[in-house]
Amino acid sequence: MNATLEHMGIEEIIELAGGLDGVLVLRPEPGDGSPEIAWGDVFFYYAPDGAVPEATQPFATIVTKDYPGDEASRLARPGAFRLNIAAGKDAYARWAADGDPSAADVVQAHPVYGDAGWLAVVNPGPRTEEAVRELLGAAHAAARRRRERRSALRRP
């Protein structure tokens, strides 16, 4: 947590999620072949081999701007960003709050992918730090289990 207790910064979240075992952190930028809309955002995959998994979604993302059809969080505001976590149905049911999707430091349903078990936090801070840590750990563990199951199915 940063010393000001205002909110967890993007770099702190990258350090937290990126420090989990086997995590690949992608930070799209100009010239790397990624779509321009993704530049400045961050994607977290469970990928112990360091390769982006095929046909697999990240277990968490940080978005720094509004995407078409996903403007409810109002990320065009200065300093606003949103942490998205593939929480799964059980964690979703436990944590999701209804309310203003642009409200800061509140764990709530992702404004677009909530039905798929995704949670979102705009500018995580003191109220959500513990939940963010727990949810990222659980999402990471679920991503690892999915990869292990897929690997087991491919073995002869």
Side-chain angles (χ1 to χ4, degrees):
M1 190 66 183
N2 64 30
T4 64
L5 297 179
E6 291 174 6
H7 65 83
M8 296 176 77
I10 291 173
E11 294 303 320
E12 290 171 274
I13 296 168
I14 292 170
E15 185 177 318
L16 172 64
L20 298 170
D21 178 56
V23 172
L24 173 64
V25 178
L26 290 184
R27 298 182 83 166
E29 58 185 35
D32 68 4
S34 61
E36 184 175 350
I37 190 130
W39 298 350
D41 295 341
V42 185
F43 302 84
F44 302 96
Y45 292 90
Y46 179 73
D49 60 2
V52 178
E54 293 183 22
T56 299
Q57 294 289 326
F59 69 86
T61 66
I62 297 172
V63 294
T64 58
K65 68 193 86 48
D66 292 325
Y67 277 68
D70 183 9
E71 298 90 4
S73 296
R74 298 182 327 128
L75 300 178
R77 298 173 287 163
F81 68 93
R82 186 179 69 214
L83 172 63
N84 306 305
I85 304 171
K89 298 292 184 179
D90 290 341
Y92 177 88
R94 177 177 171 213
W95 288 101
D98 290 327
D100 177 2
S102 68
D105 201 18
V106 176
V107 177
Q108 52 194 324
H110 186 286
V112 176
Y113 301 111
D115 289 343
W118 280 77
L119 294 172
V121 183
V122 174
N123 291 16
R127 290 185 305 213
T128 58
E129 181 181 11
E130 185 176 329
V132 162
R133 290 177 184 280
E134 178 182 324
L135 290 165
L136 282 172
H140 168 263
R144 180 185 352 211
R145 286 190 303 274
R146 282 190 299 276
R147 176 157 175 145
E148 289 169 354
R149 278 194 308 269
R150 288 181 185 136
S151 293
L153 291 174
R154 283 182 260 172
R155 289 186 194 130

